[in-house]
Amino acid sequence: MQVYTLKNKSIEIDFIARGGQIISIKVPDAKGNVADVVVGYDTIEETLNGDAYFGALCGRYANRIVNGEFEIEGEKFQLDCNNETNHLHGGVDGFNRRNWKVSAVEIDRYVQAYQLSLVSEDGDQNYPGKLEVSVIYGLTDDNQFVIAYEAQTSKSTVINLTSHPYFNLNGAGNGSAMNHELLLNASNYTPISAELGTTSGDIVLVKDTPFDFTNTKTVESACKTDHEQIRMFDGIDHNFVLDDFDGTIKLAGVLSDPESGRKMEVYTDQPGIQIYTGAHFDGSEIGKKGAPIIQCAGLAMETQIFPNSPNYEHFPNAILRPGEKYKHVCIYKFC
Ligand code: BGC
């Protein structure tokens, strides 16, 4: 499997065609010490056999759809339930498992860029419509790693694409990211219903809850609390509702590591961001540097629309119709 590289004067990003998986992002700290800041494996072979969501492009609908069911214009669709009773990240054969077509492209704003494309046929995983997807991975000279998605469909369908790297700014394999500091421009979040296994449909203020990251605080300070929403998933696995959403690109959050001093800003034009502290990592798998992948080995920051949006009228629109263009930009900027 070929490894593609995006490189500027200080940063190097490697990815593969399977799932568009980002397998490493090498970033210097202030003293010039370079670390690979995404959770993963040391070899391609382990990557291909390991957790197929690490650094991968997820779709056609990233995150959960309750019971795998949705309806468009009166027609009912049933997707597979690959996450207990829910559909997760596009199903058993999601976009993270596909071999994307990769080509180098020249775009003015990037030092280097690749286009990843995929055709998902009508009926793929039971989703309606033939969906044509293009994702640009671009690196600017000021250390912005830009992921720009576009898609169009032949029939009305649902769509929510995202990228799934887990960040540990102290270097993957160097312990947990619990000590990282997080700021989120989100005054609300979508709590989870234990019964549904995903958002209840409520939109709740973060004020006076552990989910209040409107002022910078450590991930650990939220995860250590006894709040029932934290205990339910042994950490954070929640969608945050970004403030002042208007479809333009805005700062969604800032992650920083006090130990190395590395800092990453996340920008998006999407209404939500899923923060996941990796509760399912239990140390039984070996990752980079031969170190066990422990809980919160890294933190996922997935820009997207809200979970189960196709089933909630008051959630952002998840339907893409023929003639429309799905657009989504996510920027991870290393400062
Ligand atoms: C979800 C987690 C899920 C994980 C799988 C995340 O996006 O929020 O609940 O376990 O993906 O890798």
Side-chain angles (χ1 to χ4, degrees):
M1 172 101 10
Q2 188 179 340
V3 176
Y4 300 89
T5 303
L6 288 160
K7 217 173 163 173
N8 68 11
K9 271 184 238 133
S10 46
I11 288 185
E12 192 177 317
I13 300 166
D14 285 345
F15 69 95
I16 55 173
R18 203 283 304 261
Q21 260 184 293
I22 297 152
I23 56 173
S24 70
I25 303 184
K26 294 185 186 120
V27 183
D29 64 11
K31 292 184 204 122
N33 299 314
V34 174
D36 177 355
V37 299
V38 287
V39 174
Y41 306 94
D42 281 330
T43 66
I44 300 291
E45 201 191 339
E46 288 166 295
T47 304
L48 295 176
N49 295 322
D51 188 320
Y53 293 123
F54 282 176
L57 293 168
C58 299
R60 191 179 291 196
Y61 197 93
N63 217 315
R64 291 177 173 83
I65 297 180
V66 169
N67 296 326
E69 293 171 341
F70 65 93
E71 213 178 292
I72 304 178
E73 291 143 15
E75 198 179 339
K76 290 194 166 117
F77 296 93
Q78 178 67 60
L79 308 171
D80 62 333
C81 294
N82 58 332
N83 186 250
E84 298 181 13
T85 56
N86 294 331
H87 177 83
L88 176 72
H89 295 330
V92 278
D93 191 23
F95 291 177
N96 62 306
R97 297 206 164 268
R98 306 294 169 84
N99 280 320
W100 291 65
K101 189 173 157 232
V102 181
S103 31
V105 286
E106 276 184 35
I107 300 173
D108 277 356
R109 87 175 262 225
Y110 305 123
V111 178
Q112 239 186 319
Y114 286 93
Q115 181 180 40
L116 293 85
S117 43
L118 181 80
V119 176
S120 166
E121 295 297 341
D122 186 8
D124 181 10
Q125 308 301 295
N126 282 347
Y127 287 98
K130 176 178 173 181
L131 189 80
E132 292 174 77
V133 188
S134 154
V135 181
I136 300 289
Y137 281 173
L139 182 63
T140 66
D141 59 7
D142 66 342
N143 299 338
Q144 297 182 46
F145 174 37
V146 182
I147 305 176
Y149 309 78
E150 278 189 16
Q152 43 203 18
T153 184
S154 64
K155 288 182 192 163
S156 295
T157 191
V158 294
I159 184 166
N160 184 34
L161 304 177
T162 201
S163 171
H164 209 308
Y166 291 87
F167 294 96
N168 184 327
L169 299 178
N170 196 27
N174 282 339
S176 121
M178 275 289 175
N179 69 335
H180 283 29
E181 288 173 344
L182 181 65
L183 170 90
L184 292 173
N185 284 329
S187 308
N188 293 272
Y189 78 115
T190 54
I192 283 162
S193 139
E195 198 192 327
L196 297 178
T198 187
T199 172
S200 60
D202 296 327
I203 295 177
V204 170
L205 285 171
V206 294
K207 198 171 183 316
D208 300 326
T209 78
F211 298 91
D212 189 351
F213 288 96
T214 56
N215 291 305
T216 304
K217 67 178 185 190
T218 64
V219 175
E220 188 167 44
S221 65
C223 291
K224 269 193 166 164
T225 63
D226 276 331
H227 193 281
E228 56 147 347
Q229 286 288 319
I230 294 283
R231 296 284 57 95
M232 205 183 291
F233 277 127
D234 206 9
I236 304 170
D237 191 359
H238 290 77
N239 167 66
F240 289 76
V241 178
L242 295 170
D243 290 340
D244 306 321
F245 166 70
D246 62 5
T248 63
I249 299 169
K250 291 185 177 166
L251 181 69
V254 183
L255 184 69
S256 50
D257 167 38
E259 226 166 289
S260 65
R262 288 190 194 88
K263 185 167 129 184
M264 180 181 80
E265 295 171 346
V266 184
Y267 296 82
T268 191
D269 56 3
Q270 295 297 292
I273 189 165
Q274 180 84 8
I275 302 295
Y276 180 43
T277 51
H280 76 280
F281 300 146
D282 60 6
S284 59
E285 250 206 294
I286 300 300
K288 286 176 181 169
K289 295 180 148 187
I293 303 177
I294 53 171
Q295 196 167 29
C296 205
L299 188 81
M301 299 179 77
E302 308 155 47
T303 59
Q304 54 182 245
I305 59 171
F306 310 167
N308 201 29
S309 285
N311 292 305
Y312 297 123
E313 291 250 318
H314 62 295
F315 273 17
N317 171 51
I319 299 176
L320 182 72
R321 297 190 161 81
E324 295 174 347
K325 202 168 244 183
Y326 168 86
K327 286 191 172 199
H328 169 174
V329 175
C330 169
I331 303 173
Y332 296 118
K333 180 177 183 188
F334 299 94
C335 312

